[in-house]
Amino acid sequence: MKLAMLAMAPLLLAATAAPEPHDTGAVVAADDAWLQAEIRGDGDFLDRLLIDGYRSVGNDGKVSSKADIVGRARARGNSPDMAARVAKWRAEHPSRPTVTIAGDTAILTWISTKAGAGDPVSSCDIFVYQGGRWRALYSQHTAAGA
């Protein structure tokens, strides 16, 4: 009996956790947490964040699945090199987030703020609000503002 209760503990914690706000700030926070999980190689977090059937289309047209992303993060683990590459990329590609929410769906776009870039969208993440939290459904990335 005790073993069964221990096995259910994560489910009970998830069910009793306070819901995330249903607002734009929470969508941006979910996206930020996603990036940090990628840097830390936290496959468990990514597995919870990405909905089954999640797809990401890179600026080269390559499609990655939830399993691809979770697997790469787990294989990479916590990576100072990944953190450095992300920091360098973000410094070279300044952007600002914009969020549009329609019901339980949020579209987060990252708009380049690089001088002379003309305000292009560099990526778009679609989130859905399920079970009191924002979860990622789809991503599309472009080379805009590069």
Side-chain angles (χ1 to χ4, degrees), residues 91-131:
E92 292 171 353
H93 301 87
S95 61
R96 62 178 162 73
T98 63
V99 178
T100 302
I101 297 176
D104 287 337
T105 303
I107 300 172
L108 181 146
T109 54
W110 289 97
I111 308 295
S112 175
T113 59
K114 192 173 190 177
D119 236 15
V121 173
S122 60
S123 70
C124 176
D125 296 313
I126 299 175
F127 289 85
V128 293
Y129 194 76
Q130 290 183 336

Side-chain angles (χ1 to χ4, degrees), residues 19 25 46:
L46 295 171

Side-chain angles (χ1 to χ4, degrees), residues 3-4 6 19-21 36 42 49 56 59 73 78 83 118 122 124 126 128:
L3 238 112
L6 284 174
E20 294 175 359
Q36 293 309 310
D42 189 345
L49 176 74
S56 177
N59 61 9
N78 191 6
S122 60
C124 176
I126 299 175
V128 293

Side-chain angles (χ1 to χ4, degrees), residues 27 31 34 49-59 61-66 69 105-110 121 123-129 134-142:
V27 175
D31 197 70
W34 181 353
L49 176 74
L50 306 177
I51 291 176
D52 291 340
Y54 169 86
R55 292 289 182 267
S56 177
V57 180
N59 61 9
K62 182 180 177 200
V63 177
S64 295
S65 68
K66 173 182 176 174
I69 291 169
T105 303
I107 300 172
L108 181 146
T109 54
W110 289 97
V121 173
S123 70
C124 176
D125 296 313
I126 299 175
F127 289 85
V128 293
Y129 194 76
W134 290 103
R135 299 184 66 208
L137 174 64
Y138 179 81
S139 299
Q140 176 82 39
H141 308 281
T142 71

